[in-house]
Amino acid sequence: MRFSFLSLASLPAYTFVTATTTVKAFFNLVRFPNLILIVLSQALVQACLLVPGINWGNVMQPGFGWLTLSTVLIAAAGYIINDYYDIKIDAINKPDKLVVGTVIRRRRAMFAHLILSLAGIAIGFWLYLPIGLINAGAVLLLWGYSAELKKLPLIGNVVTALLSASMLLVVAVYADTLNRITIGYAVFAFLISLIREIIKDIEDMKGDASFDCRTLPIVLGIRNTKLVLYPIIALFIAFVFVVTIHPRTSLWFDIYMVILVLLPALWLTIKLTRADRKRDFTFLSNLNKVIMFTGILSMLLVG
């Protein structure tokens, strides 16, 4: 009886620890910092790009809140389905970060994916028919990417980059204010995301090759994949440079872009020429994230 009593007394603490571990694992599964970045990106588009100047009042509009929620739900669902299909690959590439199949069962992960996806699509259609269609298309692309497209050379990378760009464009579509500035930032998001996705494929070569994936570095090798990356990075740098020297941009915007976007992009290129190990490409992937983040924050200087 004493043993049973002690076991019963320790049950609440055990349950609390288990629940905390599961919640933490779930936040890791849905890439919570990336979801925060999505919220920030859409908020900056809403406040800074749709009308001249900065108007934070636009962010407080109820419709925009629902729009951002739908985007976040679909992105979270996309991360879940990606890890669902990548259990064996991730066991090789990042065993310390494996969630699906360890902390969270596969069936529960799939159920969460379906619920989040359907909720995101439903909110989209409730808001505005084109948003519902965009959200439905995003869900289908994320599923196709996770199941098959990511295993193909370049196609999966382009799909992910397009989804990154659409995350910004959907705000302008909902506001019915699709202007050149928003399109410019969508191009920025597309290019920098495409660069990062190719770098991540190099970083994950070992696990991908073990399961017959046909990503760009597996098909071409690291050296030739770099030859594909250089023109894309050059195009990205040229695009940012043209935007920076545009007569309508402010001096502070130009200084910001040179120091926090162009120079890091040049540094990325230099480091890429010397990269040959997994940790080198992990560094490049993280540097790419920094460039993406600083580029998004530059919206504050557009007005």
Side-chain angles (χ1 to χ4, degrees):
M1 291 295 293
R2 185 182 179 186
F3 175 80
S4 300
F5 174 76
L6 290 175
S7 299
L8 185 63
S10 64
L11 185 59
Y14 173 78
T15 304
F16 175 76
V17 171
T18 303
T20 302
T21 302
T22 303
V23 171
K24 183 179 178 181
F26 182 78
F27 277 106
N28 289 334
L29 176 62
V30 299
R31 320 293 200 274
F32 187 72
N34 291 1
L35 301 183
I36 295 298
L37 183 61
I38 289 174
V39 174
L40 174 64
S41 301
Q42 292 194 328
L44 288 173
V45 173
Q46 179 77 357
C48 305
L49 302 188
L50 301 185
V51 294
I54 300 177
N55 187 352
W56 292 109
N58 291 340
V59 178
M60 305 308 295
Q61 296 176 3
F64 172 73
W66 286 109
L67 174 69
T68 299
L69 176 61
S70 72
T71 305
V72 166
L73 291 175
I74 289 172
Y79 289 127
I80 293 173
I81 195 65
N82 182 68
D83 283 12
Y84 177 89
Y85 279 106
D86 274 3
I87 290 178
K88 294 181 180 179
I89 295 175
D90 288 343
I92 297 175
N93 288 333
K94 43 184 180 181
D96 54 323
K97 296 182 180 180
L98 199 62
V99 174
V100 178
T102 55
V103 182
I104 298 176
R105 295 178 182 176
R106 296 186 74 219
R107 185 175 296 179
R108 291 181 178 178
M110 177 59 75
F111 180 74
H113 161 75
L114 292 174
I115 293 299
L116 293 175
S117 295
L118 290 174
I121 293 172
I123 293 172
F125 277 114
W126 174 67
L127 284 173
Y128 185 34
L129 178 61
I131 300 300
L133 294 173
I134 291 171
N135 286 359
V139 168
L140 291 175
L141 280 176
L142 285 167
W143 187 299
Y145 169 82
S146 301
E148 195 63 35
L149 296 178
K150 68 184 299 179
K151 301 175 184 178
L152 303 176
L154 200 58
I155 296 175
N157 308 130
V158 172
V159 167
T160 303
L162 285 172
L163 288 169
S164 296
S166 69
M167 174 191 70
L168 303 181
L169 292 175
V170 72
V171 180
V173 170
Y174 178 66
D176 197 21
T177 313
L178 189 59
N179 53 36
R180 291 182 180 179
I181 297 175
T182 308
I183 293 174
Y185 272 99
V187 172
F188 172 92
F190 173 82
L191 291 173
I192 196 68
S193 298
L194 181 59
I195 293 166
R196 181 168 182 267
E197 288 301 314
I198 296 174
I199 290 174
K200 280 176 58 183
D201 278 349
I202 302 176
E203 182 185 0
D204 294 340
M205 271 186 71
K206 183 178 179 181
D208 292 345
S210 300
F211 294 93
D212 298 324
C213 294
R214 303 292 294 168
T215 60
L216 209 59
I218 292 174
V219 173
L220 300 180
I222 294 179
R223 182 178 179 181
N224 288 331
T225 301
K226 287 184 180 182
L227 296 179
V228 174
L229 268 172
Y230 292 139
I232 300 174
I233 296 174
L235 180 61
F236 171 76
I237 292 174
F239 174 76
V240 174
F241 179 75
V242 169
V243 170
T244 302
I245 64 173
H246 195 282
R248 293 185 62 182
T249 57
S250 68
L251 177 61
W252 288 114
F253 177 86
D254 298 343
I255 293 172
Y256 178 96
M257 293 298 286
V258 168
I259 295 175
L260 295 177
V261 177
L262 278 176
L263 290 180
L266 291 171
W267 178 239
L268 183 144
T269 309
I270 293 171
K271 294 290 289 184
L272 179 62
T273 61
R274 304 170 181 174
D276 57 6
R277 289 174 292 183
K278 180 180 174 64
R279 67 180 183 182
D280 298 330
F281 294 105
T282 300
F283 171 82
L284 290 173
S285 178
N286 291 331
L287 177 58
N288 202 285
K289 281 185 178 180
V290 172
I291 296 171
M292 184 183 297
F293 181 68
T294 55
I296 288 170
L297 288 183
S298 70
M299 295 183 199
L300 291 167
L301 299 173
V302 169

